[in-house]
Amino acid sequence: MDLNTVCFIMFSFLLLGYLLLEGFDYGVGMLLPFLGESDREKQAIIQTIAPVWEGNEVWLIAAGAVLFAGFPHVYATLFSGIYLALVLMLVTLILRGVAFEFRDQNNNPKWRRFWDWAIFSGSIIPSLLWGIVFANLLAGLPIDGEKQYAGTLGDLLSVYSLTGGLFFALLFLLHGTVFLTLRLDCRFMLQIGKLGLATSKYALLLSVGFILLSFLYTDLAARLVPALALAVLFLALLFCYRRLQEQQYALSFMFSAAAIISAVSAIFTGLFPRLIVSSLDPDWSLTVYNSASNPLTLKLMAVTMAITLPAVLTLEVWKYHIFRERVAVNTSDIESLLWEQLHCQLQKIRTHLGNLLTVISKGKKVLDSNVLRLDKAPATAMAKELQEFRGLIRYGHQMANLIARIISMLRK
């Protein structure tokens, strides 16, 4: 493996890490104006990402540094050709960072509402732009023989690019929603779970359109690895939807993360060895070879990242381990605190009841098959015991369903 490929893998990995970690930050930011009735509840929502969002931005800075040092022609072409889109992304990200710091500096509701919408804008606009940029990189940009962008801003907008933008926005929204089910106060779990269920359904439907358009507008269908990655993307979203239906939120988060990994993997494996596809002439595409720095720079970049990347990964694991507990709403209302504890316990009981019903159903099938074989035989002690045991299982099944209905009524 040559140094050009190594630097491409490093850039892909860093950008994947950014989108995977910052993805749920985007999703939480998009939900902020619409979730939580009181300001204390909104503060709790912000607190779920407040300790980690700045660290997540480091991945983007590192990816930009690798692109600048390793593939300067790609860096120059992107920032000279689609600079308006990239500047808009940077401005909204900066505005979102300012909003996190300024929001709580004044108790005026209008002040806080303004910064809530700033966080929303700084989350949804970059999400849309990431999808648009990725779709254009795959479908092709008007790059001429001088490695210059020869189009206009309107050339970035097409059916495929807009579908990619909407799909990535929904993907990040789903990732953030499932993240909140694991990190936010238990009293929000039912509301966020229903929201995640609806989001996953729309993301699943839109993924079909994105995959079909990817096969139509790009050459991904002719490549085995990206085609398989797109298939995994669809399956990950499908499993995420099913796990949300069963309220298995930890597994849902794993599958939403797998969906992002699959989508980004499909894009970069579909591009390699290209970095920007030229829609004017395939020979004018920018690749890891015709746009790379000199070998010494690539070697220094590879050695530097090989030393620092393990330390960064260790720090990330430690950071998320420290901030793994749920964020509770800051309130002195004893009734709210008791409801939070009751809600968590009811959720645990409901999970155990689901497992119990599964075991009872399987046991009932086995016993029914044994009893049917013994019905034709003379009455024996074993047959009588099986009949009694089947009656107990039927009674347990009825009681478990009754308790589940009572819990559902209490949760409402």
Side-chain angles (χ1 to χ4, degrees), residues 140-145 148-151 277-284:
L141 293 171
I143 305 298
D144 60 22
Q148 299 293 324
Y149 182 78
V277 178
S278 174
S279 60
L280 302 179
D281 188 337
D283 294 333
W284 292 344

Side-chain angles (χ1 to χ4, degrees), residues 54-324:
E54 288 179 295
N56 296 340
E57 298 290 339
V58 174
W59 289 81
L60 180 61
I61 297 172
V66 172
L67 185 65
F68 175 77
F71 308 103
H73 293 294
V74 175
Y75 187 91
T77 301
L78 283 177
F79 275 89
S80 62
I82 58 175
Y83 66 94
L84 285 178
L86 295 177
V87 167
L88 178 60
M89 182 186 297
L90 291 175
V91 167
T92 52
L93 287 175
I94 293 171
L95 180 63
R96 189 184 65 154
V98 172
F100 282 128
E101 300 298 329
F102 279 24
R103 183 188 184 278
D104 294 333
Q105 300 302 316
N106 193 316
N107 293 327
N108 190 317
K110 292 184 179 179
W111 170 273
R112 295 194 171 187
R113 196 178 304 116
F114 170 79
W115 291 115
D116 287 345
W117 284 103
I119 293 173
F120 171 81
S121 302
S123 299
I124 192 170
I125 292 177
S127 300
L128 291 168
L129 290 176
W130 278 117
I132 291 174
V133 169
F134 283 143
N136 278 290
L137 291 179
L138 285 172
L141 293 171
I143 305 298
D144 60 22
E146 301 297 325
K147 301 178 182 178
Q148 299 293 324
Y149 182 78
T152 63
L153 185 63
D155 294 328
L156 300 177
L157 303 178
S158 64
V159 174
Y160 179 52
S161 64
L162 293 176
T163 301
L166 290 174
F167 174 66
F168 268 82
L170 271 177
L171 195 58
F172 293 145
L173 179 61
L174 173 62
H175 198 42
T177 304
V178 181
F179 174 77
L180 284 179
T181 62
L182 301 176
R183 293 281 286 115
L184 196 56
D185 201 320
C186 287
R187 74 182 72 180
F188 295 97
M189 191 175 294
L190 184 62
Q191 179 185 1
I192 299 174
K194 290 180 179 179
L195 184 60
L197 200 59
T199 305
S200 62
K201 182 172 22 177
Y202 290 121
L204 185 61
L205 293 174
L206 194 57
S207 70
V208 176
F210 177 72
I211 292 171
L212 292 177
L213 289 175
S214 295
F215 289 156
L216 181 63
Y217 282 86
T218 71
D219 58 356
L220 294 185
R223 300 184 173 209
L224 179 61
V225 175
L228 289 176
L230 289 177
V232 173
L233 165 64
F234 176 79
L235 291 175
L237 289 173
L238 178 61
F239 289 139
C240 180
Y241 174 72
R242 295 295 298 275
R243 297 288 79 78
L244 282 170
Q245 283 183 318
E246 299 174 5
Q247 298 183 348
Q248 297 177 352
Y249 298 123
L251 287 175
S252 301
F253 183 76
M254 292 175 61
F255 283 119
S256 68
I260 294 177
I261 294 172
S262 302
V264 178
S265 299
I267 291 167
F268 281 106
T269 55
L271 281 172
F272 184 81
R274 305 162 298 180
L275 281 165
I276 303 178
V277 178
S278 174
S279 60
L280 302 179
D281 188 337
D283 294 333
W284 292 344
S285 298
L286 298 180
T287 69
V288 296
Y289 299 106
N290 65 13
S291 62
S293 297
N294 60 71
L296 179 59
T297 303
L298 296 178
K299 185 176 181 179
L300 289 174
M301 180 63 63
V303 172
T304 302
M305 293 306 300
I307 295 173
T308 58
L309 195 55
V312 172
L313 291 173
T314 303
L315 181 62
E316 288 293 324
V317 172
W318 175 80
K319 177 179 69 176
Y320 283 97
H321 175 74
I322 292 296
F323 298 106
R324 67 186 184 278

